[in-house]
Amino acid sequence: MQQETILHISDTHSIVLKNIKDNNEEELFELIVNKKCDLQPLNSIHNKRRRIEWLSTRVAIKNMTDDSVDIRYDSNGKPQLIGYMGHISISHSQNMLALSFSKKHKTGVDIQKVSPKINAIKHKFLTTRENEREIEDPVELTKYWAAKEAMFKYHGEQDYFLRQNFEINRIRPSGKVTEVEGIIFSEQLRKEVKLHLIQLDDYILAYVVNS
């Protein structure tokens, strides 16, 4: 995959995919140091990969919007745009960054690297009904995981959990895109959610499309 790819989902919804494996921290810093971006949070990040993720996210946002835009996080840890009308969702996995930007509606995105290790943790995110489907293939399991993470980020409340409050009712391949029908549920809520999944080499990208 090239270093940056932009998927235009609709006139008001785009997703940026960035391969940050070879990104240089100093070069990224130079791209935003003169922009209207609060760099103070960067001082508390000491892990090199996390610093590159943080900087790459800000560069992607600047490229999609304008120089006056910044990010803050609400009490649930959901990213909010400051200085621009719109909504974002952010995901990192290994060397990949995914950023979903919608001018009008809430959004949710997730990217996950496929690994056989997912079989050991599937009990943490599959519901009882989903377990009855006896899914063993790591790619298929990663689709469930990524779709639920995207719904979680779309919903934006920390007291919801992947196994207890999110379920995949249907997964249907449709060309290069896999269509997903999911549901967010609790004692107070029942909300249907539509998502798309795309396999990109050994990564699965999931994003909400009915926001």
Side-chain angles (χ1 to χ4, degrees):
M1 183 183 296
Q2 57 186 306
Q3 189 172 15
E4 179 172 301
T5 302
I6 299 179
L7 305 179
H8 296 286
I9 311 304
S10 71
D11 291 342
T12 60
H13 183 195
S14 297
I15 293 175
V16 175
L17 298 167
K18 292 179 70 69
N19 188 328
I20 61 175
K21 179 179 180 180
D22 299 319
N23 279 9
N24 182 285
E25 182 177 337
E26 289 74 21
E27 291 178 358
L28 291 169
F29 186 84
E30 287 298 320
L31 289 173
I32 64 170
V33 68
N34 293 322
K35 311 298 184 182
K36 295 178 181 179
C37 181
D38 181 11
L39 299 175
Q40 188 64 33
L42 190 61
N43 296 331
S44 63
I45 303 175
H46 303 293
N47 179 273
K48 182 177 180 180
R49 173 173 286 186
R50 287 287 297 113
R51 290 175 64 86
I52 288 176
E53 289 176 355
W54 192 96
L55 288 164
S56 297
T57 299
R58 270 69 187 172
V59 170
I61 291 171
K62 300 296 183 186
N63 291 342
M64 293 180 71
T65 54
D66 59 43
D67 292 347
S68 64
V69 181
D70 205 351
I71 302 175
R72 295 291 186 274
Y73 290 84
D74 66 17
S75 58
N76 288 304
K78 186 178 177 67
Q80 307 286 328
L81 288 174
I82 304 299
Y84 199 89
M85 293 297 292
H87 306 265
I88 62 167
S89 181
I90 303 165
S91 179
H92 306 94
S93 181
Q94 297 290 319
N95 298 320
M96 292 300 299
L97 159 69
L99 188 151
S100 178
F101 171 68
S102 174
K103 292 181 180 179
K104 292 185 177 181
H105 306 290
K106 288 198 309 180
T107 185
V109 70
D110 192 67
I111 191 162
Q112 297 287 343
K113 185 175 177 65
V114 178
S115 169
K117 294 180 181 180
I118 195 171
N119 284 275
I121 62 168
K122 64 180 182 179
H123 64 282
K124 295 183 178 181
F125 62 89
L126 292 183
T127 65
T128 300
R129 286 206 310 168
E130 291 166 346
N131 263 315
E132 292 173 353
R133 299 167 192 168
E134 298 183 348
I135 309 162
E136 299 293 338
D137 179 49
V139 172
E140 293 305 308
L141 285 171
T142 304
K143 289 179 179 179
Y144 275 73
W145 187 13
K148 290 192 172 194
E149 287 282 2
M151 285 195 290
F152 174 82
K153 293 175 181 178
Y154 163 77
H155 186 56
E157 295 189 19
Q158 290 294 328
D159 56 348
Y160 278 63
F161 302 92
L162 298 190
R163 185 171 65 84
Q164 293 93 329
N165 303 110
F166 301 88
E167 188 162 74
I168 304 302
N169 290 335
R170 185 178 184 184
I171 290 185
R172 181 181 63 186
S174 179
K176 294 182 179 180
V177 172
T178 298
E179 298 176 349
V180 175
E181 296 175 5
I183 187 168
I184 305 171
F185 60 93
S186 68
E187 292 183 358
Q188 300 80 27
L189 175 72
R190 183 177 180 86
K191 181 178 178 61
E192 295 181 354
V193 182
K194 294 182 180 179
L195 307 98
H196 284 173
L197 305 178
I198 301 176
Q199 184 166 355
L200 305 162
D201 299 328
D202 52 351
Y203 288 87
I204 299 295
L205 171 72
Y207 55 91
V208 174
V209 295
N210 68 337
S211 55

